[in-house]
């Protein structure tokens, strides 16, 4: 068991200065009743905390560390750019470098705009969709999280589910009424809602591979129905690939399903660990944005040179190595090993993975939507997660979050992880 004295002291100090001691709710470990770990450095597959403990990291900064932490080429790109200046508030060629790499990998994106977070990206796609279609309503799916955008923080998964809030105070009812929610992966429910509101439907937004209700991929039939119906009503289909983009495959989830959305939101991986988001899509829709179109959108630090240098370097590495088959094979080995351990102990357990994203659930049946995920065992999850973290395996501290693996997670890391988990289960994770 790791000694985490310094993390405990750092959390106490942070709590006196910041709401809940954190700048993003999931980091507070409230869901598993634990003390968050405070980190000082990271390298490859490993995190190192303030007490000097080492962790095998299966969060990877929620996606960006797909080639491992502190990748020397990414770190050098940031250092070199820092010497040249950190922000000009004016255009650079670096922005076009990142734009062309993304457009090359994701054919539905013909033009793109950079922003500073995934939230900004999805928020902007909604405004653009409403402006372009001249309609108001949005359909989103229960358990899909699209950032903390007013119109989209309605039956959102992840942090919101973790804290049991159906939505958030502070969002006007007059705005929320334009967002209609629907169960994920439920074709009939969607068709019913669609036919009621299609004349005023600006867009349908979806995580094609959901990573904010645990890891739950959309079914092909479900996603194809969304494409068909939105095309038939002149509404836009928005794929929120902030998490799945450059995580499940080089062309995102849309490549795996072979479905072209009208707009795509990106974030996480494309910034190489710096704060970046982006949204893009069909040329005629994107050209509806200022300065050539009427829909306003802007950002003082958008396309920031440090962030673009990190992003283009990481994207080039990913394109060169195309590591997604390797990542999936390694994720499968990890999850297969975990499943064996749980089966032997008689603990209901199910797993799933695509590329470098994965999920595991303490339930017999693999979840298909947020209702299924909610039904999985909270008690075992919290006990298991606390035991993992205290023994150096850093999984996401909520059953509503996905797992992430990097190219630096080799046989050594996976076997070490399984050995630790086997010991945890032997000691008895189901004991209170
Ligand atoms: C993380 C995430 C967002 C929000 O991105 P931020 O950078 O945290 O604002 C939006 N959509 C999805 C699918 C995400 O996973």
């Amino acid at each position: 068991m790791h000694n985490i004295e310094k993390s405990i002291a750092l959390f106490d100090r942070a709590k006196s200065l910041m709401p809940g001691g954190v700048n993003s709710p999931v980091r507070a470990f409230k869901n598993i009743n634990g003390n968050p770990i405070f980190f000082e450095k990271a390298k490859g597959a490993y995190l190192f905390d303030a007490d000097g403990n080492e962790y095998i990291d299966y969060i990877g900064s929620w996606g960006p560390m797909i080639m491992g932490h502190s990748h020397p080429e990414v770190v050098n790109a940031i250092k070199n750019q820092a010497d040249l200046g950190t922000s000009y508030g004016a255009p650079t060629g670096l922005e076009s470098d990142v734009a062309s790499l993304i457009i090359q990998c994701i054919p539905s994106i013909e033009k793109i705009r950079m922003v500073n977070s995934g939230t900004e990206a999805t928020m902007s796609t909604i405004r653009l969709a409403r402006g372009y279609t001249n309609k108001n309503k949005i359909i989103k799916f229960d358990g899909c999280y699209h950032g903390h955008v007013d119109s989209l923080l309605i039956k959102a998964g992840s942090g919101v589910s973790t804290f049991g809030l159906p939505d958030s105070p502070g969002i006007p009812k007059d705005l929320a009424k334009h967002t209609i929610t629907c169960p994920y992966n439920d074709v009939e429910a969607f068709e019913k809602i669609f036919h009621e509101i299609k004349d005023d439907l600006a867009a349908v937004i979806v995580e094609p591979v959901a990573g904010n209700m645990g890891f739950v991929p959309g079914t092909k039939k479900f996603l194809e129905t969304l494409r068909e119906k939105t095309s038939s009503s002149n509404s836009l289909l928005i794929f929120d690939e902030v998490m799945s983009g450059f995580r499940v495959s080089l062309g995102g989830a849309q490549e795996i399903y072979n479905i072209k959305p009208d707009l795509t939101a990106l974030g996480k991986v494309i910034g190489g660990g710096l704060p970046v988001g982006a949204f893009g899509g069909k040329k005629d829709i994107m050209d509806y944005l200022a300065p050539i179109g009427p829909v306003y959108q802007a950002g003082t630090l958008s396309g920031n040179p440090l962030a673009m240098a990190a992003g283009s370097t990481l994207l080039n590495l990913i394109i060169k190595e195309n590591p997604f088959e390797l990542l999936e094979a390694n994720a499968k080995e990890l999850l297969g090993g975990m499943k064996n351990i749980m089966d032997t102990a008689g603990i209901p357990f199910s797993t799933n993975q695509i590329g470098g994203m994965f999920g595991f659930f303490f339930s017999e049946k693999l979840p298909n939507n947020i209702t299924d995920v909610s039904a999985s065992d909270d008690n075992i999850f919290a006990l298991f997660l606390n035991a993992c973290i205290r023994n150096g395996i850093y999984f996401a501290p909520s059953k509503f979050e996905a797992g992430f693996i990097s190219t630096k997670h080799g046989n050594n890391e996976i076997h070490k992880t399984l050995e630790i988990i086997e010991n945890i289960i032997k000691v008895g994770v189901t004991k209170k």
Side-chain angles (χ1 to χ4, degrees), residues 24 62 116-122 144-148 207 209-212 240-244 265-268 276-277:
S24 198
W62 307 100
N116 304 290
S117 68
T119 294
E120 272 184 71
T122 57
C144 283
Y145 174 68
H146 304 294
H148 58 100
E207 285 182 79
V209 169
N212 291 286
D240 180 353
E241 298 225 45
V242 170
M243 191 180 275
S244 58
L266 294 167
K268 298 192 169 99
V276 179

